[in-house]
Amino acid sequence: MDPLTLDELDRQLAHALQVDGRAPFSRIGQVLGASDRTVARRYHRLRSAGALRVVGLPHAAAIGRVDWMVRMRCTPDAAVPIAVALARRTDTSWVTIMSGGTEINCITRTRRQADEGELLLQKLPRTPRITAVSAHCMLRAVAGVGGWPGRTAALTPEQVEALLPPAPDGSAAEVGPADDAFFAALARDGRASHPALAAATGWSETTVRRRLDALRRAGILYFDVDTRSELFGYTAEAALWLTVAPSALTPVTRALATHPQIAFAAAVTGPASVAAVVICRDLDELYDYLAEGVGSLQGVLSAETTPLVRRVKSAGALLVP
C-alpha cells in the first residue's frame, strides 16, 4: 500500500485520534472493529511517512498567554528561509508561505498583552527583504476548534461518543517553568509513552501520569492531529480575511462554524475582523464557496483570499534532524 494513501481505516483512525489523541490503541481498535495491533501498525506507518502526528498543546489563555496572527510580506527569494527560521522557534505555529511566495503567515504566542509590541518585533528575522508586517490579536476561536471537518467525518456519532475522553471538570492546576519540558515533549509527540515523558522531564512515571490527568481535567492541555489536507482529497487551501460590520460579527462567525470548508476561524483585531483557513477539494470548489458561501453572509463588507503555497510548520513542534 502506498504509505501516502489513506484508506477507510486510516481515515477512521485519524478521526479517532482527533477525538482523543491519547486513547489507547486497544480502545480505538474496539470502537473501529480492528485489533489493537492493526491500529498501532497503521498509526506508526502514517507517522513514519509524515502523514499524521498527534501533538499535545496548552491552551494559550489557560497559561496566561495570548496568540497573535502575524502576516509578513517579503520578496519571493526570502520566503523559504524566513519561514524556516520562524518555524524553528518554539513560540510559533502554523507557519505558512502564501500568495505565490510573497507572504508568510504564522501564529506566535506572547506572555502578556502589555509586552506585545516589543516581543513581536524580537521574533522576526532582521532583513530588509521583509517589506511589511502586521499583527492581529486572536480574540476568540469561532470555528474549527474540534478539528477540520474534512478529517472528522469518518466515524459515526456512536463511535465518537465511545471515544470521548472525560470532559474538563474545572479542577485547578498551576502551570510553571517545571512544565516547559513536559509541554515541549508533548508538542513533539502527543502520544509519547509515560517512560519517554519521564525521561524528558526528569519526573517519575507516576508523576507524569498524574500531571497528564490534572492538566486535562483542568482544561489546560488538549491534543490535536497534524496531517495534510491533500491526503484526504483536498488540494485547495487558502487564508481568508473578512471585514465584517461589528453588528454582524456574531451571526457571521456562527454561520462560519457550520461551513465544512472552514478548517479554523477566529475573531481578530485589525482591519479584518475574522481570519479563517479554507480547505476545498479544488479551485473550482474554492470559487463556489467564496461566491456562494461567503457571498451569502450578511454583514461581510469585504473578503481577501490568499492561497497557500507551502506549510512549513503546523500545530506542534517542528521535527528536524
Coordinates of all heavy atoms in Angstrom, one line a residue, residues 4-65:
L4 N 1.4 7.0 1.5 CA 0.7 8.3 1.5 C -0.7 8.3 0.9 O -1.2 9.3 0.4 CB 1.6 9.3 0.7 CG 2.9 9.6 1.3 CD1 3.7 10.7 0.5 CD2 2.8 10.1 2.8
T5 N -1.3 7.1 0.9 CA -2.7 6.9 0.6 C -3.5 6.5 1.8 O -3.1 5.5 2.5 CB -2.8 5.9 -0.6 OG1 -2.1 6.3 -1.7 CG2 -4.3 5.7 -0.9
L6 N -4.6 7.2 2.1 CA -5.4 6.8 3.2 C -6.6 6.0 2.8 O -7.4 6.4 2.0 CB -5.8 8.1 3.9 CG -4.8 9.1 4.4 CD1 -5.4 10.2 5.2 CD2 -3.7 8.5 5.2
D7 N -6.7 4.8 3.4 CA -7.9 4.0 3.2 C -8.9 4.3 4.3 O -8.7 5.2 5.2 CB -7.6 2.5 3.1 CG -7.0 2.0 4.4 OD1 -7.1 2.6 5.4 OD2 -6.5 0.8 4.3
E8 N -10.0 3.6 4.3 CA -11.1 3.9 5.3 C -10.6 3.8 6.7 O -11.0 4.6 7.6 CB -12.3 3.0 5.0 CG -13.5 3.3 5.9 CD -14.1 4.7 5.7 OE1 -13.8 5.4 4.7 OE2 -14.7 5.2 6.7
L9 N -9.9 2.7 7.0 CA -9.4 2.6 8.4 C -8.4 3.7 8.8 O -8.5 4.2 9.9 CB -8.7 1.2 8.5 CG -8.2 0.9 9.9 CD1 -9.3 0.9 11.0 CD2 -7.5 -0.5 9.9
D10 N -7.6 4.1 7.9 CA -6.7 5.3 8.2 C -7.5 6.5 8.5 O -7.2 7.3 9.5 CB -5.8 5.6 7.0 CG -4.8 4.5 6.7 OD1 -4.4 3.8 7.7 OD2 -4.4 4.3 5.5
R11 N -8.6 6.8 7.8 CA -9.4 7.9 8.0 C -10.1 7.8 9.3 O -10.3 8.8 10.1 CB -10.4 8.1 6.9 CG -9.7 8.5 5.5 CD -10.7 8.4 4.4 NE -10.1 8.6 3.1 CZ -10.1 9.8 2.5 NH1 -10.8 10.8 3.0 NH2 -9.5 10.0 1.3
Q12 N -10.6 6.6 9.6 CA -11.2 6.4 10.9 C -10.3 6.6 12.1 O -10.6 7.2 13.1 CB -11.8 5.0 11.0 CG -13.0 4.8 10.1 CD -13.6 3.4 10.2 OE1 -12.8 2.4 10.3 NE2 -14.9 3.2 10.1
L13 N -9.0 6.2 11.9 CA -8.0 6.3 12.9 C -7.7 7.8 13.1 O -7.6 8.3 14.3 CB -6.8 5.6 12.5 CG -5.5 5.7 13.4 CD1 -5.8 5.4 14.8 CD2 -4.3 4.9 12.9
A14 N -7.6 8.6 12.0 CA -7.3 10.0 12.1 C -8.4 10.7 12.9 O -8.2 11.6 13.7 CB -7.1 10.6 10.8
H15 N -9.7 10.3 12.6 CA -10.8 10.9 13.3 C -10.8 10.5 14.8 O -11.0 11.4 15.7 CB -12.1 10.5 12.6 CG -13.3 11.2 13.1 ND1 -14.6 11.0 12.5 CD2 -13.5 12.1 14.1 CE1 -15.4 11.8 13.2 NE2 -14.8 12.4 14.1
A16 N -10.5 9.3 15.0 CA -10.5 8.8 16.4 C -9.4 9.5 17.2 O -9.7 9.9 18.4 CB -10.2 7.3 16.5
L17 N -8.3 9.8 16.7 CA -7.2 10.5 17.4 C -7.6 12.0 17.6 O -7.1 12.6 18.5 CB -5.9 10.3 16.6 CG -5.3 8.9 16.6 CD1 -4.1 8.9 15.7 CD2 -4.9 8.5 18.0
Q18 N -8.4 12.5 16.7 CA -8.8 13.9 16.9 C -9.8 14.0 18.1 O -9.8 14.9 18.8 CB -9.5 14.4 15.6 CG -9.9 15.9 15.7 CD -8.8 16.8 15.8 OE1 -7.9 16.8 14.9 NE2 -8.7 17.7 16.8
V19 N -10.6 12.9 18.3 CA -11.5 12.8 19.4 C -10.7 12.7 20.7 O -11.0 13.4 21.7 CB -12.5 11.7 19.3 CG1 -13.3 11.6 20.5 CG2 -13.3 11.9 18.0
D20 N -9.7 11.8 20.7 CA -8.9 11.6 21.9 C -7.5 11.2 21.4 O -7.3 10.1 21.1 CB -9.5 10.6 22.9 CG -8.6 10.4 24.2 OD1 -7.6 11.1 24.3 OD2 -9.0 9.7 25.0
G21 N -6.6 12.2 21.5 CA -5.2 11.9 20.9 C -4.4 10.9 21.7 O -3.5 10.3 21.2
R22 N -4.8 10.6 23.0 CA -4.1 9.6 23.8 C -4.9 8.4 24.1 O -4.6 7.6 25.0 CB -3.6 10.3 25.1 CG -2.4 11.2 24.8 CD -1.8 11.6 26.1 NE -1.1 10.5 26.8 CZ 0.2 10.2 26.6 NH1 0.9 10.9 25.7 NH2 0.8 9.2 27.2
A23 N -6.0 8.2 23.3 CA -6.8 7.0 23.5 C -5.9 5.8 23.3 O -5.2 5.7 22.3 CB -8.0 7.0 22.6
P24 N -6.0 4.7 24.1 CA -5.2 3.5 23.9 C -5.6 2.9 22.5 O -6.8 2.9 22.1 CB -5.5 2.6 25.1 CG -6.1 3.6 26.1 CD -6.7 4.7 25.4
F25 N -4.6 2.3 21.9 CA -4.9 1.6 20.6 C -5.9 0.5 20.8 O -6.7 0.2 19.9 CB -3.6 1.0 20.0 CG -2.7 2.1 19.5 CD1 -1.3 2.0 19.8 CD2 -3.2 3.1 18.7 CE1 -0.5 3.0 19.3 CE2 -2.3 4.1 18.2 CZ -1.0 4.0 18.5
S26 N -6.0 -0.1 22.0 CA -6.9 -1.2 22.3 C -8.3 -0.6 22.3 O -9.3 -1.3 21.7 CB -6.6 -1.8 23.6 OG -6.6 -0.9 24.7
R27 N -8.5 0.6 22.8 CA -9.9 1.2 22.8 C -10.3 1.6 21.4 O -11.4 1.4 21.0 CB -9.9 2.3 23.8 CG -11.3 3.0 23.9 CD -11.5 3.6 25.3 NE -10.6 4.7 25.5 CZ -10.8 6.0 25.3 NH1 -12.0 6.4 24.7 NH2 -10.0 6.9 25.6
I28 N -9.3 2.2 20.7 CA -9.6 2.6 19.3 C -10.0 1.4 18.5 O -10.9 1.4 17.7 CB -8.4 3.4 18.7 CG1 -8.2 4.7 19.5 CG2 -8.6 3.6 17.2 CD1 -7.0 5.5 19.0
G29 N -9.2 0.3 18.6 CA -9.5 -0.9 17.9 C -10.8 -1.5 18.2 O -11.5 -1.9 17.3
Q30 N -11.2 -1.5 19.4 CA -12.5 -2.0 19.8 C -13.6 -1.2 19.1 O -14.6 -1.7 18.6 CB -12.7 -1.9 21.3 CG -14.0 -2.5 21.9 CD -14.0 -2.5 23.4 OE1 -13.3 -1.8 24.0 NE2 -14.9 -3.3 23.9
V31 N -13.5 0.1 19.1 CA -14.5 1.0 18.5 C -14.5 0.8 17.0 O -15.6 0.8 16.4 CB -14.3 2.5 18.9 CG1 -15.2 3.4 18.1 CG2 -14.5 2.7 20.4
L32 N -13.4 0.7 16.4 CA -13.3 0.6 14.9 C -13.5 -0.8 14.4 O -13.6 -1.0 13.2 CB -11.9 1.1 14.4 CG -11.6 2.5 14.8 CD1 -10.3 3.0 14.1 CD2 -12.7 3.5 14.4
G33 N -13.5 -1.8 15.3 CA -13.6 -3.2 14.9 C -12.4 -3.8 14.3 O -12.4 -4.6 13.4
A34 N -11.2 -3.3 14.8 CA -9.9 -3.8 14.4 C -9.1 -4.2 15.6 O -9.4 -3.8 16.7 CB -9.2 -2.8 13.5
S35 N -8.1 -5.0 15.4 CA -7.2 -5.4 16.5 C -6.3 -4.2 16.9 O -6.1 -3.3 16.1 CB -6.4 -6.6 16.1 OG -5.4 -6.2 15.2
D36 N -5.9 -4.2 18.2 CA -5.0 -3.1 18.6 C -3.7 -3.1 17.9 O -3.1 -2.1 17.6 CB -4.8 -3.2 20.1 CG -4.3 -4.5 20.6 OD1 -4.3 -5.5 19.8 OD2 -3.9 -4.6 21.8
R37 N -3.2 -4.3 17.5 CA -2.0 -4.4 16.7 C -2.2 -3.7 15.3 O -1.3 -3.0 14.9 CB -1.6 -5.9 16.5 CG -1.0 -6.5 17.8 CD -0.4 -7.9 17.4 NE 0.2 -8.5 18.6 CZ 0.8 -9.6 18.5 NH1 0.9 -10.3 17.4 NH2 1.4 -10.1 19.6
T38 N -3.3 -4.0 14.7 CA -3.6 -3.4 13.4 C -3.6 -1.9 13.5 O -3.0 -1.1 12.7 CB -4.9 -3.9 12.8 OG1 -4.8 -5.3 12.6 CG2 -5.2 -3.2 11.5
V39 N -4.3 -1.4 14.5 CA -4.4 0.1 14.7 C -3.1 0.7 15.0 O -2.7 1.7 14.4 CB -5.4 0.4 15.9 CG1 -5.4 1.9 16.2 CG2 -6.8 0.0 15.5
A40 N -2.3 0.1 15.9 CA -0.9 0.6 16.2 C -0.1 0.6 15.0 O 0.7 1.5 14.7 CB -0.3 -0.3 17.3
R41 N -0.1 -0.5 14.2 CA 0.7 -0.6 13.0 C 0.3 0.5 12.0 O 1.2 1.2 11.4 CB 0.5 -2.0 12.3 CG 1.4 -2.2 11.1 CD 1.4 -3.7 10.7 NE 0.1 -4.1 10.3 CZ -0.6 -5.0 11.0 NH1 -0.1 -5.5 12.2 NH2 -1.8 -5.4 10.6
R42 N -1.0 0.8 11.8 CA -1.4 1.8 10.9 C -0.9 3.2 11.4 O -0.5 4.0 10.6 CB -3.0 1.9 10.9 CG -3.6 0.7 10.1 CD -3.1 0.7 8.7 NE -3.8 -0.4 7.9 CZ -4.8 -0.2 7.1 NH1 -5.3 1.1 7.0 NH2 -5.4 -1.2 6.5
Y43 N -1.0 3.4 12.7 CA -0.6 4.7 13.3 C 0.9 4.9 13.0 O 1.3 6.0 12.5 CB -0.9 4.9 14.7 CG -0.3 6.1 15.4 CD1 -0.9 7.4 15.1 CD2 0.8 6.1 16.2 CE1 -0.3 8.5 15.6 CE2 1.4 7.2 16.7 CZ 0.8 8.4 16.4 OH 1.4 9.6 16.9
H44 N 1.7 3.9 13.3 CA 3.2 4.1 13.2 C 3.6 4.2 11.7 O 4.5 4.9 11.4 CB 3.9 2.9 13.9 CG 3.7 2.9 15.4 ND1 4.2 4.0 16.1 CD2 3.2 2.0 16.2 CE1 3.9 3.7 17.4 NE2 3.3 2.6 17.5
R45 N 2.8 3.5 10.8 CA 3.1 3.7 9.4 C 2.8 5.1 8.9 O 3.6 5.7 8.2 CB 2.2 2.7 8.7 CG 2.0 3.0 7.2 CD 1.0 2.0 6.5 NE 0.5 2.5 5.3 CZ -0.6 3.2 5.1 NH1 -1.3 3.5 6.2 NH2 -1.0 3.5 3.9
L46 N 1.7 5.7 9.4 CA 1.3 7.0 8.9 C 2.3 8.1 9.6 O 2.7 9.0 8.9 CB -0.1 7.3 9.4 CG -1.2 6.5 8.6 CD1 -2.6 6.8 9.3 CD2 -1.2 6.9 7.1
R47 N 2.6 7.8 10.8 CA 3.5 8.8 11.5 C 4.9 8.7 10.8 O 5.6 9.8 10.6 CB 3.6 8.5 13.0 CG 4.3 9.7 13.7 CD 4.3 9.5 15.2 NE 4.6 10.7 15.9 CZ 5.8 11.2 16.0 NH1 6.9 10.6 15.5 NH2 6.0 12.4 16.7
S48 N 5.4 7.6 10.5 CA 6.7 7.4 9.9 C 6.8 8.0 8.5 O 7.8 8.6 8.1 CB 7.1 5.9 9.9 OG 7.2 5.4 11.1
A49 N 5.6 8.0 7.8 CA 5.6 8.6 6.5 C 5.3 10.1 6.5 O 5.3 10.7 5.5 CB 4.4 7.9 5.7
G50 N 5.2 10.7 7.7 CA 4.9 12.1 7.8 C 3.5 12.5 7.5 O 3.2 13.7 7.2
A51 N 2.6 11.5 7.5 CA 1.2 11.8 7.1 C 0.3 12.2 8.2 O -0.7 12.8 8.0 CB 0.6 10.5 6.4
L52 N 0.7 11.8 9.4 CA -0.1 12.1 10.6 C 0.7 12.1 11.9 O 1.6 11.3 12.0 CB -1.2 11.0 10.7 CG -2.3 11.1 11.8 CD1 -3.6 10.5 11.3 CD2 -1.8 10.3 13.0
R53 N 0.3 13.0 12.8 CA 1.0 13.1 14.0 C 0.1 13.7 15.1 O -0.6 14.6 14.8 CB 2.3 14.0 13.9 CG 3.1 14.2 15.2 CD 4.4 15.0 14.9 NE 4.2 16.3 14.4 CZ 4.8 17.4 14.8 NH1 5.6 17.3 15.8 NH2 4.6 18.5 14.3
V54 N 0.1 13.2 16.3 CA -0.6 13.7 17.4 C 0.3 14.6 18.2 O 1.4 14.3 18.5 CB -1.2 12.6 18.3 CG1 -1.9 13.2 19.5 CG2 -2.1 11.7 17.5
V55 N -0.2 15.8 18.5 CA 0.6 16.7 19.3 C -0.3 17.2 20.5 O -1.5 17.3 20.5 CB 1.0 18.0 18.5 CG1 1.9 17.6 17.4 CG2 -0.2 18.7 17.9
G56 N 0.4 17.4 21.7 CA -0.3 17.9 22.9 C 0.1 19.3 23.1 O 1.3 19.6 23.1
L57 N -0.8 20.2 23.4 CA -0.6 21.6 23.5 C -1.4 22.2 24.6 O -2.5 21.8 24.9 CB -0.9 22.3 22.1 CG -0.3 21.7 20.9 CD1 -1.0 22.2 19.6 CD2 1.2 22.1 20.8
P58 N -0.8 23.3 25.2 CA -1.6 24.0 26.2 C -2.4 25.1 25.6 O -2.0 25.8 24.6 CB -0.5 24.6 27.1 CG 0.6 24.8 26.2 CD 0.6 23.7 25.2
H59 N -3.6 25.3 26.1 CA -4.4 26.5 25.6 C -3.7 27.8 26.1 O -3.3 27.9 27.2 CB -5.8 26.4 26.2 CG -6.7 25.4 25.6 ND1 -7.2 25.5 24.3 CD2 -7.2 24.2 26.1 CE1 -8.0 24.4 24.1 NE2 -8.0 23.6 25.1
A60 N -3.7 28.7 25.1 CA -3.0 30.0 25.4 C -3.5 30.7 26.7 O -2.8 31.0 27.6 CB -3.1 30.9 24.2
A61 N -4.8 30.9 26.7 CA -5.4 31.7 27.9 C -5.2 30.9 29.2 O -5.0 31.6 30.2 CB -6.9 31.9 27.6
A62 N -5.2 29.6 29.1 CA -5.1 28.8 30.4 C -3.7 29.0 31.0 O -3.6 28.7 32.2 CB -5.4 27.3 30.1
I63 N -2.7 29.4 30.3 CA -1.4 29.5 30.8 C -0.9 31.0 30.8 O 0.2 31.3 30.8 CB -0.3 28.6 30.1 CG1 -0.3 29.0 28.6 CG2 -0.6 27.2 30.3 CD1 0.8 28.3 27.9
G64 N -1.9 31.9 30.7 CA -1.6 33.3 30.7 C -0.9 33.9 29.5 O -0.1 34.8 29.6
R65 N -1.2 33.3 28.3 CA -0.6 33.7 27.1 C -1.6 34.3 26.1 O -2.8 34.1 26.3 CB 0.2 32.6 26.4 CG 1.2 31.9 27.2 CD 2.4 32.8 27.4 NE 3.6 32.1 27.9 CZ 3.8 31.9 29.2 NH1 3.0 32.3 30.1 NH2 4.9 31.2 29.6

